[in-house]
């Protein structure tokens, strides 16, 4: 297996997405499945997998995995005005390949000012995701939210919330562990 183009992404991140192992026969299905898994990570703009044209001293061929990494850091912002909702805006900072391990982290701040009720809403959202949990592809995530509302100088409300998520085919994972 020869991996090219992963400048920031660690080699084991690519290796764990292989649908088959190096010793196994590489089928067109296995190559396609591996390409899909690597694309789903969200850290590559391009993934190409193909058998090498060169043969060494044996009948086996190397597999070439050519990837092109996407920019991992981003800044997003926006604002708007509505007659019934007032002025609102947001700023988001994100990193899509934290430590080269396909982990994602983002911080988003949102502001809204309602002119009719003189209400100011302020929300901070911190999100973290990684592709694996306990060696299983479950895409676990953690989101923390701080929401502050100030309706007038005497009333101030602050709410905190934390949300944990797991995505994946849990039934298959459950039966694989218990079966």
């Amino acid at each position: 297996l020869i991996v090219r183009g992963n400048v920031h992404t660690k080699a084991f991140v690519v290796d764990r997405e292989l649908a088959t192992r190096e010793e196994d026969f590489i089928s067109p299905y296995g190559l396609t499945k591996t390409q899909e898994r690597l694309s789903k990570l969200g850290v590559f703009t391009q993934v190409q997998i193909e058998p090498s044209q060169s043969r060494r001293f044996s009948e086996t061929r190397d597999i070439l995995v050519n990837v092109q990494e996407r920019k991992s850091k981003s800044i997003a912002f926006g604002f708007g005005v509505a007659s019934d909702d007032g002025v609102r805006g947001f700023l988001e900072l994100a990193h899509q390949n934290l430590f080269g391990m396909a982990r994602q982290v983002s911080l988003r701040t949102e502001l809204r000012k309602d002119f009719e009720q003189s209400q100011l809403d302020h929300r901070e959202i911190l999100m973290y995701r990684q592709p694996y949990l306990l060696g299983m592809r479950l895409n676990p995530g953690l989101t923390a939210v701080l929401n502050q509302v100030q309706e007038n100088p005497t009333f101030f409300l602050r709410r905190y919330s934390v949300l944990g998520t797991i995505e994946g085919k849990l039934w298959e994972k459950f039966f694989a562990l218990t079966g």
Side-chain angles (χ1 to χ4, degrees):
L1 179 69
I2 301 168
V3 181
R4 294 185 183 147
N6 57 324
V7 177
H8 301 289
T9 306
K10 305 221 182 280
F12 82 87
V13 172
V14 175
D15 291 346
R16 74 179 174 201
E17 297 304 319
L18 296 177
T20 57
R21 295 291 153 219
E22 290 181 43
E23 308 83 39
D24 297 337
F25 176 75
I26 303 295
S27 66
Y29 172 79
L31 295 176
T32 302
K33 191 71 174 166
T34 299
Q35 189 169 1
E36 287 174 7
R37 287 180 180 178
L38 286 168
S39 295
K40 274 179 130 177
L41 284 176
V43 297
F44 303 115
T45 57
Q46 186 176 5
V47 178
Q48 291 179 318
I49 302 175
E50 55 193 30
S52 170
Q53 297 304 317
S54 66
R55 292 182 187 229
R56 295 186 191 172
F57 300 106
S58 68
E59 290 297 313
T60 61
R61 285 189 192 179
D62 289 327
I63 300 297
L64 299 175
V65 179
N66 292 307
V67 295
Q68 183 176 1
E69 293 179 333
R70 73 175 64 244
K71 293 182 179 182
S72 60
K73 298 173 189 136
S74 65
I75 297 174
F77 61 91
F79 63 92
V81 178
S83 60
D84 61 338
D85 209 23
V87 178
R88 63 176 54 227
F90 77 92
L91 173 66
E92 183 172 21
L93 307 172
H95 195 303
Q96 299 297 322
N97 195 5
L98 192 62
F99 308 122
M101 298 172 70
R103 295 175 177 165
Q104 303 169 5
V105 65
S106 67
L107 176 63
R108 180 180 176 109
T109 186
E110 300 173 352
L111 290 171
R112 184 178 72 89
K113 174 70 173 165
D114 185 345
F115 294 122
E116 291 178 9
Q117 298 177 3
S118 296
Q119 182 175 324
L120 177 65
D121 292 343
H122 178 218
R123 180 181 295 176
E124 299 287 338
I125 304 167
L126 178 64
M127 190 272 305
Y128 172 80
R129 273 195 140 20
Q130 64 183 36
Y132 284 81
L133 177 66
L134 302 174
M136 294 183 288
R137 187 180 299 113
L138 295 175
N139 201 22
L142 190 63
T143 304
V145 179
L146 165 63
N147 195 20
Q148 300 180 88
V149 179
Q150 184 169 358
E151 290 191 15
N152 57 48
T154 59
F155 180 76
F156 183 78
L157 174 66
R158 181 178 288 164
R159 284 184 248 159
Y160 301 94
S161 59
V162 176
L163 172 68
T165 59
I166 294 179
E167 299 172 11
K169 298 177 181 176
L170 297 178
W171 253 170
E172 291 176 13
K173 307 295 184 198
F174 176 75
F175 286 119
L177 289 174
T178 60

